[in-house]
Amino acid sequence: MLDTDRNKHIIQNFIQVVWQAQDLAALKDFWTEDCINHAMPAPNNCGLSVLHTYHERFLVDFTAFSNLQIEILQQVAEGDRVVTHLTARGEHTKPFLELPPAGKWVEMPAIRIDRMQDGKIAEHWSVSDLAGLMQQL
């Protein structure tokens, strides 16, 4: 298996294990100890403990959406970078950002870029369409 294929597979597994199965203990299996999450404001965006807190909040926020499904639409890998275009879909059944449940199915596309190092995520950048999600609610 080429390194680029292996790196794409690591991101796919991360999404499945940590996001879908909500196994936060597995973060250490996917991220380097000194990782940097550029999706968080600096300077408090470095290290596994900070990443763990970020994902705790992320997963709590998204409990507002029942039957959450994350679909990888496409991935491109070159060198030590993996770009993943994905869509998250779910039914809004609990409050989200102080909005009452709408009972509607919604979706939010996102693009993430990950820099890999020794088989783990060392740096991460992402952008998602939260404004589009809010319009659906």
Side-chain angles (χ1 to χ4, degrees), residues 15 71-76 83-87 109-112:
I15 290 169
E71 179 184 4
I72 295 175
L73 302 172
Q74 56 187 324
Q75 278 187 304
V76 178
V83 178
T84 305
H85 175 211
L86 57 92
T87 297
I111 297 174
R112 59 180 292 137

Side-chain angles (χ1 to χ4, degrees), residues 105-125:
W105 278 86
V106 295
E107 65 179 50
M108 183 175 71
I111 297 174
R112 59 180 292 137
I113 302 171
D114 296 285
R115 183 179 67 80
M116 308 302 289
Q117 178 181 307
D118 300 324
K120 292 187 176 186
I121 303 165
E123 281 187 274
H124 166 75
W125 299 261

Side-chain angles (χ1 to χ4, degrees), residues 66-108:
S66 300
N67 305 310
L68 188 65
Q69 303 160 2
I70 300 171
E71 179 184 4
I72 295 175
L73 302 172
Q74 56 187 324
Q75 278 187 304
V76 178
E78 183 176 306
D80 63 355
R81 308 291 166 124
V82 179
V83 178
T84 305
H85 175 211
L86 57 92
T87 297
R89 293 180 185 88
E91 185 179 3
H92 184 209
T93 56
K94 296 179 185 171
F96 179 71
L97 301 178
E98 300 183 20
L99 291 175
K104 297 164 66 174
W105 278 86
V106 295
E107 65 179 50
M108 183 175 71

Side-chain angles (χ1 to χ4, degrees), residues 31-38 40-52 54 122-123:
W31 293 74
T32 62
E33 186 70 35
D34 60 347
C35 60
I36 302 171
N37 182 1
H38 297 284
M40 299 172 60
N44 299 321
N45 62 346
C46 302
L48 275 175
S49 63
V50 170
L51 187 73
H52 191 277
Y54 171 83
E123 281 187 274

Side-chain angles (χ1 to χ4, degrees), residues 46-64:
C46 302
L48 275 175
S49 63
V50 170
L51 187 73
H52 191 277
T53 302
Y54 171 83
H55 277 86
E56 280 178 337
R57 282 189 239 131
F58 174 81
L59 293 176
V60 166
D61 286 346
F62 281 87
T63 60

